[in-house]
Amino acid sequence: MPETPARSFRLGVAGPVGTGKSSLIALLCRELSGELSMGVITNDIYTDEDAQFLRSAGVLDIERIRAVETGACPHTAIRDDVTPNLIAVEDLERDFAPLDIVIVESGGDNLTATFSPALVDAQIFVLDVAGGGDVARKGGPGIARADLLVVNKTDLGPYVDVDVARMIAEAGDAREGGPVLGLSKHDPVSIAALVDWVRQMTTTVAGGGHVPIDPGPMAPHSHLDSHGEPFTHTHPDEHEPGHAN
Amino acid sequence: MTSSPQLVLAMLADARLPTGSHAHSAGLEPAVMAGLSDQGRRLDEIPAFARSRLRTVTATEAGTAVVTRHQWLAGGSLSGVEDAWAARTPSAAVRAATRQLGRGYLRLAYGLWPEEMAAAFERGAVPPRPLVLGVIGAVTGLSSRQVAQLVGYDDVQTTASAALKLVPLDPIEAMRWVLQLHPDIDAMADDVERLTEPAEIPASGAPLLDEHAERHAVTTRRLFSA
Ligand SMILES: Nc1nc2c(ncn2[C@@H]2O[C@H](COP(=O)(O)OP(=O)(O)OP(=O)(O)O)[C@@H](O)[C@H]2O)c(=O)[nH]1
Ligand SMILES: [Mg+2]
């Protein structure tokens, strides 16, 4: 709806189920709500538990945390039909104008779910160490091209036989140098790095210095051409089949 | 640019239309939770449910859309139509869901037909879906019959697609229901296509569906919003 209270920085947080999206958002609210005016939207699949979790964390006024229903299609709600999420973002911007940042948590979905640039200005993709050290190397659009890749729960590395430093290095390779951040809620240095990234991105977006990047359905990748030279391309016509319902 | 009403109709009836309606089940999930189809053991209750809706709540919605279209083309105000719809939709949960859908359609329509929509709806308005559909029909050249068919078809198709998520069901069977309900959709359209005044909108409620909708609005475990 063409109402125009000040537009906030819209930050998406995506990633597989249980990797720590809600925890990361709670942490950002705890660290940043003193200096930024914030709102949060959760995309639950069956309950409003994510919204409840964040409200009960006591890190943000509960009125600023809203749940959007996704009709069993969390992927659709952040990608092909972002209408309910955009309406929720606009409502928050109207009710708490001026808002600096609205964080949208995707419903825990598979590795290929990424936010449409029609919904968010930037996105964080969250993996965790417990999901296995190979996940980052295997790649996928969110891993390869989200604005920031978080490898969460680094404290768990020794318990799940994952070499965290190596996992982060392989993630860096999959991202061709794009930022990767190892995070643990028990590691204050990593928390400060995350908060800094969000703070800087908020300033950059507010200043108009950021063009949303679409991680897209498939990251660019390399083949050898007929002369044996590598070339990089994407597959524009290999989009996932529509998933509108 | 001119576009043909038939193609506008196809576009509006397409499940891929970005209006947020994928989070809705046309009242099917509330009914299934209350025992309709006995977890899929009596599947024929689902098309019967869709037929009941066409004769009751969906006729009200289609009548509202048809009257909206007429009033808008005649240069009248829509507030009387909205009141007539609300008076015939006693469940607050159903009204809220219909307004939620209306916002989604309005958001899309503002994007596609900005001037026409701005003339019909004030900024920040939260009209129920049939009002938005009626105005879209008016500005894109849909006939009153096409508007009524769109509302009927959408309701049936929403029910059938939601059923695929809620009960064990072959998608071809679900589409057979939709096909077999075509005469019912047309019969409903026959009844409402000539309506022009808010007072003529059918007031044929379905109290049990309203009760299900009210219960659904407060449940904490559900796939669909309504
Ligand atoms: N050890 C450890 N556990 C963590 C960390 N961050 C989150 N967790 C735990 O991981 C579990 C899942 O966290 P959530 O934040 O709910 O994950 P989510 O991605 O929001 O989950 P869904 O919304 O269900 O997809 C919880 O039990 C958290 O306490 C961390 O840094 N270290
Ligand atoms: Mg969560």
Side-chain angles (χ1 to χ4, degrees), chain A residues 18 20-23 25 42 44 49-51 53-54 105-108:
Chain A
K21 300 177 291 297
S22 300
S23 306
I25 291 170
T42 63
D44 290 288
E49 258 179 65
D50 281 4
F53 164 80
L54 286 166
E105 176 180 350
S106 77

Side-chain angles (χ1 to χ4, degrees), chain B:
Chain B
M1 183 199 77
T2 54
S3 58
S4 83
Q6 285 93 333
L7 290 179
V8 171
L9 185 61
M11 183 175 140
L12 294 173
D14 193 315
R16 290 162 293 192
L17 197 74
T19 59
S21 51
H22 60 89
H24 291 252
S25 75
L28 183 66
E29 186 180 38
V32 166
M33 282 171 121
L36 184 86
S37 88
D38 190 16
Q39 325 249 338
R41 281 183 284 267
R42 294 190 309 266
L43 278 178
D44 56 343
E45 289 182 4
I46 295 178
F49 162 90
R51 187 172 292 113
S52 306
R53 286 181 60 88
L54 283 170
R55 290 177 184 160
T56 56
V57 290
T58 308
T60 300
E61 190 163 347
T64 305
V66 164
V67 171
T68 299
R69 174 189 166 280
H70 175 86
Q71 292 287 328
W72 189 245
L73 287 175
S77 147
L78 300 182
S79 63
V81 192
E82 185 163 349
D83 289 346
W85 164 79
R88 288 157 176 75
T89 311
S91 155
V94 173
R95 289 198 304 275
T98 309
R99 289 188 188 281
Q100 199 181 3
L101 285 165
R103 279 188 81 179
Y105 275 84
L106 187 54
R107 194 169 201 295
L108 173 70
Y110 264 131
L112 299 180
W113 303 285
E115 281 137 47
E116 293 87 339
M117 289 301 137
F121 299 104
E122 281 175 20
R123 287 183 172 213
V126 188
R129 179 172 60 171
L131 255 71
V132 184
L133 284 181
V135 173
I136 294 175
V139 305
T140 60
L142 297 188
S143 68
S144 63
R145 183 171 187 83
Q146 285 173 318
V147 168
Q149 285 173 318
L150 173 63
V151 173
Y153 172 79
D154 188 79
D155 200 81
V156 169
Q157 185 65 266
T158 301
T159 303
S161 338
L164 291 170
K165 294 218 167 76
L166 294 167
V167 294
L169 176 64
D170 179 347
I172 293 176
E173 182 64 17
M175 289 312 104
R176 183 171 297 116
W177 296 343
V178 174
L179 187 65
Q180 289 175 347
L181 283 160
H182 283 184
D184 300 83
I185 296 170
D186 272 332
M188 185 278 289
D190 288 341
D191 289 342
V192 303
E193 67 177 323
R194 272 176 293 276
L195 305 184
T196 57
E197 298 304 317
E200 298 169 338
I201 297 171
S204 40
L208 189 59
L209 299 189
D210 289 344
E211 192 187 315
H212 294 161
E214 292 295 322
R215 207 175 305 149
H216 199 68
V218 295
T219 178
T220 55
R221 290 187 175 268
R222 60 185 185 216
L223 288 180
F224 293 98
S225 180

Side-chain angles (χ1 to χ4, degrees), chain A residues 58-90:
Chain A
V59 288
L60 196 65
D61 173 7
I62 58 170
E63 293 291 311
R64 290 171 178 256
I65 301 167
R66 308 236 167 121
V68 159
E69 281 165 313
T70 58
C73 293
H75 196 156
T76 300
I78 62 166
R79 187 82 208 176
D80 337 0
D81 184 0
V82 296
T83 310
N85 271 310
L86 272 179
I87 285 176
V89 169
E90 287 160 1

Side-chain angles (χ1 to χ4, degrees), chain A residues 64-220:
Chain A
R64 290 171 178 256
I65 301 167
R66 308 236 167 121
V68 159
E69 281 165 313
T70 58
C73 293
H75 196 156
T76 300
I78 62 166
R79 187 82 208 176
D80 337 0
D81 184 0
V82 296
T83 310
N85 271 310
L86 272 179
I87 285 176
V89 169
E90 287 160 1
D91 281 356
L92 275 173
E93 287 176 351
R94 181 197 61 211
D95 296 347
F96 297 98
L99 266 191
D100 296 308
I101 180 170
V102 174
I103 306 178
V104 185
E105 176 180 350
S106 77
D109 204 336
N110 59 37
L111 281 173
T112 60
T114 57
F115 284 90
S116 164
L119 176 58
V120 300
D121 303 306
Q123 53 195 303
I124 299 177
F125 200 83
V126 186
L127 292 179
D128 71 353
V129 164
D134 300 335
V135 180
R137 191 180 61 242
K138 288 178 187 164
I143 291 174
R145 308 212 317 182
D147 297 86
L148 176 67
L149 178 69
V150 165
V151 175
N152 195 22
K153 312 187 194 175
T154 52
D155 55 292
L156 295 182
Y159 305 102
V160 291
D161 294 336
V162 169
D163 179 342
V164 175
R166 180 160 149 206
M167 185 172 175
I168 290 174
E170 287 178 350
D173 292 344
R175 290 170 60 73
E176 293 168 357
V180 182
L181 180 70
L183 178 71
S184 164
K185 62 181 175 186
H186 307 296
D187 171 10
V189 176
S190 71
I191 294 174
L194 173 71
V195 170
D196 263 352
W197 185 88
V198 172
R199 196 183 275 129
Q200 276 180 25
M201 201 52 142
T202 308
T203 310
T204 309
V205 171
H210 176 76
V211 178
I213 299 161
D214 179 11
M218 189 179 273

